[in-house]
Amino acid sequence: MGGVPSVPRDKSRRIQVIAAGYSRTGTTSISIALEHLLQGPVFHGGNQLFQGTDAWMREWCKMIDANDDKPEMLARLRHITAGFVGIADAPAYILLPELLQLYPEARVVLVTRDRARWYRSMAPIMKSVATPPMWVLDVLLWPCPTWRWLPHYFRWAGMREEKRLTTEFTPELLDLHNEWVRNNVPKDRFLEMSLSEGWKPLAEFLGVPEPDISFPFANDAAEADAVTKRIFMTAALSWAGILATAGAVGWQAYRFWGAR
């Protein structure tokens, strides 16, 4: 979530692996690992959605606006994911049925984690999204390129998650998600693993040599917390600048007309 978005250079490359683990199950680590094994860019949802360009987010919102028009949605999703060799984090798992339809040859990796530890790690993110009413986020993020589109995405994601699982955030949510993934992917192209297992199961699953370097372990929680704080700080400073400018213009207008 706090990393730099990957940029595909060869648009002919296709999604080979869908990392369907829930957010905060090591999605950054598995993304880095897949980039190394597949030698190509991986679409990490947190990085792309929170660190991408305003124009890219606008295209993303056009795609989710076509949620009820499957052909258009698939066409836009194919355009957005063109050139990536893998995809991880939300919204990858939310769009798993569409991704499997677009890339039927893709393999699916489910990274699991102790649900109590996952819940403690995920809780601050859920609180930061759920605490302010969505209309407050609409107003707060309006001056901020890229982030201004986040409330639109959150509404869509909430709607999809309510249909897929539930909107109730409990430790059991991770179990529900994992079982849903197991029941909705081809068994012959599915791997369930823990990051503690390192390179071996992932390399064997993909049929590539096991690297002789350490498996990447990234701190998703620290990155996400830093991005969240930066978003709200930037929004506050933007509104401070807008209000200060409006106040200065108003004062000058008052002095001008008052002197006449």
Side-chain angles (χ1 to χ4, degrees):
M1 183 173 171
V4 178
S6 297
V7 179
R9 304 297 181 187
D10 180 1
K11 292 289 187 175
S12 68
R13 301 196 70 178
R14 294 166 57 86
I15 297 289
Q16 299 176 46
V17 177
I18 302 166
Y22 210 94
S23 297
R24 293 298 181 88
T25 59
T27 58
T28 299
S29 297
I30 199 69
S31 295
I32 297 171
L34 288 173
E35 287 191 340
H36 184 84
L37 293 175
L38 300 175
Q39 293 297 294
V42 171
F43 181 116
H44 182 276
N47 292 341
Q48 302 295 144
L49 295 177
F50 288 83
Q51 307 293 329
T53 65
D54 189 77
W56 188 92
M57 274 298 288
R58 192 161 57 244
E59 289 302 308
W60 179 264
C61 287
K62 289 180 182 178
M63 186 273 293
I64 63 177
D65 284 343
N67 190 76
D68 296 325
D69 185 343
K70 186 57 70 69
E72 181 181 353
M73 186 180 194
L74 289 175
R76 290 186 177 278
L77 182 58
R78 184 187 296 277
H79 174 73
I80 288 172
T81 56
F84 290 97
V85 297
I87 185 167
D89 199 30
Y93 53 79
I94 300 176
L95 291 165
L96 184 59
E98 287 84 359
L99 288 168
L100 287 173
Q101 187 173 347
L102 280 177
Y103 306 105
E105 73 286 356
R107 298 171 182 267
V108 179
V109 177
L110 175 64
V111 175
T112 58
R113 184 184 183 187
D114 175 76
R115 71 180 187 182
R117 294 181 61 189
W118 168 81
Y119 183 77
R120 289 194 296 271
S121 177
M122 191 71 184
I125 286 290
M126 298 299 288
K127 182 179 180 180
S128 67
V129 173
T131 299
M134 200 57 67
W135 70 265
V136 173
L137 285 180
D138 280 324
V139 174
L140 182 66
L141 299 179
W142 173 78
C144 306
T146 300
W147 301 332
R148 74 182 75 195
W149 302 101
L150 289 177
H152 190 61
Y153 164 70
F154 291 149
R155 289 187 180 95
W156 170 83
M159 178 269 295
R160 288 284 297 245
E161 286 295 80
E162 184 174 15
K163 291 182 178 180
R164 187 177 75 95
L165 299 173
T166 176
T167 55
E168 185 178 1
F169 177 60
T170 66
E172 290 72 29
L173 177 63
L174 184 61
D175 296 332
L176 291 174
H177 166 79
N178 290 344
E179 190 61 25
W180 180 87
V181 172
R182 296 183 190 109
N183 292 333
N184 285 275
V185 301
K187 299 299 183 287
D188 61 334
R189 288 184 280 113
F190 176 61
L191 170 68
E192 184 169 337
M193 64 173 286
S194 168
L195 292 183
S196 62
E197 297 177 80
W199 289 112
K200 186 175 177 59
L202 189 59
E204 289 181 350
F205 179 60
L206 299 179
V208 297
E210 184 178 344
D212 58 359
I213 60 174
S214 299
F215 190 86
F217 290 100
N219 190 339
D220 288 4
E223 291 180 355
D225 185 58
V227 170
T228 301
K229 289 179 179 178
R230 186 163 71 251
I231 288 174
F232 284 108
M233 179 62 71
T234 301
L237 292 175
S238 297
W239 273 110
I242 291 171
L243 294 175
T245 300
V249 170
W251 173 246
Q252 291 299 326
Y254 171 78
R255 290 184 60 192
F256 176 77
W257 291 106
R260 298 188 63 177

